[in-house]
Amino acid sequence: MSKTILVTGASQGIGRETAILLSKSDFTVHGTYLSHEEEASSMAAEYGITMHKVDLGKNEDILAFIVKMQEISFDGLVNNAGIFEMEDWNNYDYHSWQRTLQVNLTAPFMLACELSKKMPDGGSIVNIASTDGLKAAFNTISYGVSKAALIQLTKSLSVNLGARGIRVNAIAPGWIDTSMSGQAPEGIVEEVVPLARKGQPKEVGTVVKFLLSDDSSYIDGETIVVDGGLLGVDYTLKKESSS
């Protein structure tokens, strides 16, 4: 029987590749998007993915979407949608902080809480966190904090939903080749990532697919890092070894 999955932020980057991968693997896929109308329409036409326009930055839109989805029992939820904004520590934009935590943390929490009520026992929730949630941030504090909190939320949801066999896990991607990752300084990826390249969105999508499947039936409350080995590198020691 085909599983029905909701992927948020499905029109771009990791969400897009994940939704397409799941669709090609005989999952029934619903996706959310906000501003990429053309891409959403293309995905619906080409892959049969049901796309929904939702502003995850507004609680009222999230609740309206949840009501709209009340007739569907999702077997899985992929909380992928997120925003990333550069910040100026000396002139901090607190509205940016609020927007980032709303989309990256509050929306996943609300969707997980509400959609899990109708999720069949044995379902799976996957939160797309980041390696930024595992280390200090300089000019992306709100993003790093939101992802660190999402990792903690993953653990808390797992212990509350575990009695129903609903598993909740997170993935922490490193430098992935998407528009969100921005333009890295020339040569820096090759220098600091052991695999010497950015990851591809599909390489995260394959891990999502695994966590949604019965093959991961005893993995719960975990955060799987997909970063090409980046977190294992101490940059100072690396420079010292080559001096």
Side-chain angles (χ1 to χ4, degrees):
M1 181 182 296
S2 174
K3 292 186 177 183
T4 301
I5 309 295
L6 174 64
V7 181
T8 67
S11 64
Q12 295 282 294
I14 292 172
R16 173 185 169 83
E17 293 303 319
T18 297
I20 292 172
L21 176 64
L22 295 176
S23 178
K24 288 181 175 180
S25 303
D26 296 325
F27 288 80
T28 298
V29 182
H30 291 250
T32 73
Y33 73 99
L34 179 58
S35 58
H36 297 93
E37 298 274 358
E38 185 175 340
E39 291 89 341
S41 297
S42 174
M43 291 176 68
E46 187 172 354
Y47 301 104
I49 299 168
T50 304
M51 298 294 285
H52 308 270
K53 187 172 184 177
V54 185
D55 187 348
L56 298 176
K58 298 177 180 177
N59 285 345
E60 58 269 29
D61 280 28
I62 298 171
L63 293 173
F65 174 67
I66 289 168
V67 170
K68 180 181 176 182
M69 296 292 102
Q70 63 184 350
E71 300 303 319
I72 303 175
S73 294
F74 288 104
D75 299 283
L77 165 65
V78 182
N79 281 311
N80 165 77
I83 59 174
F84 176 95
E85 297 182 359
M86 304 300 287
E87 302 158 341
D88 180 358
W89 174 252
N90 295 311
N91 186 27
Y92 201 88
D93 180 358
Y94 298 109
H95 293 294
S96 175
W97 168 276
Q98 293 170 336
R99 283 193 303 271
T100 302
L101 266 67
Q102 168 66 35
V103 174
N104 295 2
L105 180 63
T106 301
F109 177 58
M110 293 175 66
L111 290 171
C113 284
E114 296 303 319
L115 295 183
S116 66
K117 292 176 181 178
K118 292 198 64 178
M119 188 174 287
D121 290 3
S124 176
I125 297 173
V126 181
N127 296 321
I128 305 300
S130 171
T131 52
D132 285 22
L134 299 169
K135 54 188 178 182
F138 289 90
N139 58 351
T140 55
I141 295 174
S142 58
Y143 182 79
V145 167
S146 72
K147 295 302 185 178
L150 188 60
I151 290 170
Q152 205 285 335
L153 176 63
T154 297
K155 294 181 180 295
S156 295
L157 289 172
S158 74
V159 300
N160 282 282
L161 295 173
R164 291 176 51 201
I166 295 176
R167 298 177 295 106
V168 188
N169 293 288
I171 298 173
W175 230 323
I176 307 299
D177 191 12
T178 69
S179 59
M180 183 177 286
S181 68
Q183 184 63 43
E186 184 176 355
I188 191 66
V189 174
E190 292 78 8
E191 182 178 357
V192 301
V193 178
L195 291 185
R197 64 175 177 85
K198 287 185 177 182
Q200 295 302 309
K202 188 175 180 180
E203 293 179 297
V204 180
T206 57
V207 183
V208 175
K209 179 185 173 183
F210 168 68
L211 290 174
L212 291 172
S213 75
D214 296 336
D215 291 337
S216 60
S217 58
Y218 205 56
I219 300 176
D220 190 25
E222 295 300 321
T223 298
I224 298 178
V225 175
V226 182
D227 72 345
L230 175 63
L231 284 185
V233 176
D234 183 303
Y235 189 68
T236 301
L237 292 178
K238 179 175 174 62
K239 296 300 286 185
E240 182 182 71
S241 69
S242 59
S243 61

